[in-house]
Amino acid sequence: MSLPHTLILHGLGGSGPTHWQNWLAGELAHRGGQVDLPQFTLPDAPRLPVWLAELREHLATAPTSGERVVVAHSLACLLWLHHAAGGVDPALRVDRVLLVAPPSPHHAGEPLISEFLSAPLDPTAVRRAAVSTRLVVGEGDPYCTLEQGKELAEALRVEVDVIVGGAHLNVESDYGPWSAVLKWVRSDRTPLTPR
């Protein structure tokens, strides 16, 4: 079974070398997969229009044959929701999207991401952007409570997996290697489980 083309999208500040996103990219490449792990412009001072344009450039250059998968973490989840609500060109539609540890769309207290907040929660737009979308939230995430995560999944009409003790599912939460996310990319195996 061939691996999908995988576009991996980082959040605020990027994904450091020990983050699960970099581990995932390495594992997929080692197995012969096509991986795109872009570094968005000014990862520590993101601008929504800039990141949206860069996201769409990467989607436009992805192969059109075979399955196309997007794995987004943190702020990139809100980026994806803005992208979906922007009237997606059918050529940019992907097969599967995994939204991991999104900040609550109504999160307050982080001025650096203010442009990304109040993300459109449009289930029809989400279905136009991808055949299938799944949400993963960590118990104890300081940027999105379990209740907010479940409300987000309900608003988008998508399945949600809760990772007990996962917090923000980042390096600080001890999420470097994470075999469940690799299994999801390879075979759509759900639900996602802790590392």
Side-chain angles (χ1 to χ4, degrees):
M1 181 175 131
S2 63
L3 289 167
H5 176 273
T6 307
L7 174 58
I8 302 174
L9 306 174
H10 68 74
L12 179 66
S15 295
T18 58
H19 193 285
W20 63 263
Q21 288 191 308
N22 281 292
W23 173 85
L24 176 64
E27 290 294 310
L28 290 169
H30 177 71
R31 289 166 167 77
Q34 294 180 307
V35 182
D36 186 1
L37 180 62
Q39 177 78 16
F40 289 119
T41 298
L42 297 175
D44 295 315
R47 296 294 317 276
L48 179 59
V50 174
W51 280 29
L52 268 176
E54 291 175 353
L55 166 60
R56 290 175 178 153
E57 286 171 17
H58 285 272
L59 289 169
T61 59
T64 54
S65 61
E67 188 180 27
R68 302 191 309 171
V69 168
V70 173
V71 179
H73 180 253
S74 192
L75 188 59
C77 299
L78 300 185
L79 173 67
W80 184 262
L81 295 179
H82 282 283
H83 161 71
V88 177
D89 179 337
L92 302 185
R93 190 174 197 229
V94 299
D95 296 287
R96 293 185 285 131
V97 174
L98 190 66
L99 302 175
V100 179
S104 166
H106 309 293
H107 178 72
E110 182 50 80
L112 288 174
I113 66 168
S114 60
E115 288 184 351
F116 293 76
L117 297 176
S118 300
L121 305 181
D122 183 345
T124 302
V126 167
R127 284 193 299 277
R128 276 196 305 263
V131 176
S132 164
T133 300
R134 190 167 197 91
L135 183 66
V136 183
V137 296
E139 175 193 41
D141 189 333
Y143 309 108
C144 185
T145 66
L146 285 184
E147 182 180 346
Q148 290 169 327
K150 290 176 180 177
E151 287 172 358
L152 178 59
E154 187 175 317
L156 297 175
R157 296 186 203 139
V158 300
E159 294 291 324
V160 61
D161 297 318
V162 175
I163 305 297
V164 176
H168 197 51
L169 298 164
N170 57 6
V171 174
E172 289 75 19
S173 309
D174 203 23
Y175 272 80
W178 186 11
S179 60
V181 76
L182 175 62
K183 289 175 184 172
W184 180 85
V185 169
R186 293 177 66 188
S187 63
D188 196 14
R189 186 170 309 170
T190 55
L192 270 82
T193 56
R195 64 191 180 297

